Amino acid sequence: MAPDTLGENSAKALPTRLPLPRQVASAIRSRIISREWEPGDQIPSEDELAKLFAVSRATVREAVSLLSVQGYLIKKRGIGTFVAQAQAISGGLESLISITEWIERHGYQAGTSYIDMKARVPTSNERTLFQAWDLEEVMEIHRVRTANGVPVLYCVDVMPKVFAPENPGQLDESLFQYLERKWGQVVIFAQTEIDVSQASRTMAHHLQVAQDTPLLRLRQAHFNQKSLPILWSQDHFVTDRFRFEVMRHRQ
């Protein structure tokens, strides 16, 4: 295998704004995220990695230490270094970010394994929520979001049909990004309710869990820069693959 172009003297090295150990760490992390190196796999030795990336052993050692701290690698003394088993994606609910960004912040590759779209007449509650848009129809979108190919949640999103994508191929990015790029609708805040639901037969099939498995559900109305509702979501999270944290302060 030819060495990657990361060497100290290589003209093709990654941008110099990143220290070389971080460049190497990024290259190793990419192999983990792409599943070239699976959880539990032993990665090459320091000498082999140094040759692979055309860098010194000290650079490799620092990169491996960084990835160990970040939870990607586990060092076993006297044995070697191994890819860590995937941990549940976690984060606080204080900040409103897209599911795509949430997944990618944890070093996983965000993806979508299932999409279904259908236009329909809005319910009375949806007419009230979206009354600013003078609705005739809404678009209901079902998606399964994945992290490194593993299903982590089932999303049901409803929006005014006028803002909906024309085909599933336009949903290769987060809905937040789509609404902003296509329509200039920037999601600023959301009103959120948290409860527990059970996996329906369809959800269970696509999430690869048993039917009636408890799922953590976030029901959210998302508002644009003019404080108008633009999106209604029900996100159903597999609890051992996605975890939430909330910072609470005593009054």
Side-chain angles (χ1 to χ4, degrees):
M1 181 183 296
D4 284 17
T5 54
L6 294 177
E8 281 91 340
N9 299 316
S10 173
K12 296 181 180 179
L14 293 180
T16 56
R17 65 176 178 272
L18 280 179
L20 194 58
R22 289 188 176 273
Q23 295 180 44
V24 175
S26 178
I28 294 173
R29 184 167 53 244
S30 294
R31 283 164 167 74
I32 295 172
I33 292 173
S34 68
R35 312 291 282 194
E36 180 178 339
W37 294 340
E38 298 273 355
D41 284 353
Q42 183 173 5
I43 70 170
S45 67
E46 288 184 359
D47 284 338
E48 292 171 321
L49 289 173
K51 291 178 182 178
L52 177 63
F53 298 121
V55 298
S56 67
R57 286 185 61 188
T59 296
V60 169
R61 192 175 299 116
E62 187 174 344
V64 169
S65 295
L66 176 63
L67 291 173
S68 298
V69 171
Q70 293 176 345
Y72 290 98
L73 298 174
I74 295 177
K75 294 181 180 180
K76 297 183 179 180
R77 190 171 182 178
I79 301 177
T81 304
F82 296 79
V83 179
Q85 295 294 331
Q87 300 295 316
I89 298 170
S90 64
L93 288 173
E94 298 85 1
S95 298
L96 180 61
I97 61 175
S98 70
I99 296 297
T100 299
E101 185 177 356
W102 214 332
I103 292 171
E104 291 178 345
R105 280 189 180 185
H106 285 75
Y108 296 97
Q109 183 175 359
T112 304
S113 63
Y114 169 75
I115 300 176
D116 182 47
M117 296 171 48
K118 61 181 179 183
R120 59 170 174 78
V121 175
T123 66
S124 58
N125 287 339
E126 290 165 351
R127 284 190 184 280
T128 299
L129 179 66
F130 296 126
Q131 59 183 327
W133 306 110
D134 193 22
L135 289 184
E136 292 186 4
E137 287 186 306
V138 293
M139 185 68 77
E140 182 174 316
I141 303 170
H142 291 237
R143 296 179 298 159
V144 174
R145 306 307 311 276
T146 62
N148 284 0
V150 177
V152 292
L153 75 152
Y154 191 104
C155 307
V156 181
D157 297 294
V158 178
M159 66 175 68
K161 187 182 176 184
V162 65
F163 296 120
E166 297 176 358
N167 58 72
Q170 294 179 282
L171 289 173
D172 57 353
E173 58 186 340
S174 78
L175 279 181
F176 287 7
Q177 293 171 335
Y178 163 79
L179 287 169
E180 183 171 352
R181 175 185 58 79
K182 177 72 174 178
W183 299 104
Q185 299 292 322
V186 183
V187 175
I188 300 297
F189 68 96
Q191 293 178 341
T192 305
E193 297 178 1
I194 305 173
D195 62 8
V196 176
S197 63
Q198 291 182 309
S200 65
R201 179 178 300 179
T202 298
M203 290 181 183
H205 171 72
H206 290 291
L207 292 174
Q208 300 174 13
V209 298
Q211 187 173 346
D212 296 329
T213 294
L215 303 172
L216 183 65
R217 179 172 61 180
L218 266 61
R219 294 152 43 93
Q220 303 187 90
H222 297 88
F223 296 79
N224 68 8
Q225 64 270 38
K226 295 184 178 180
S227 298
L228 297 176
I230 191 69
L231 179 67
W232 167 252
S233 301
Q234 293 191 65
D235 295 331
H236 304 77
F237 296 86
V238 181
T239 55
D240 62 349
R241 303 172 194 167
F242 223 112
R243 182 175 61 246
F244 294 103
E245 301 166 356
V246 178
M247 182 69 72
R248 304 177 67 201
H249 298 276
R250 186 175 181 181
Q251 295 293 327

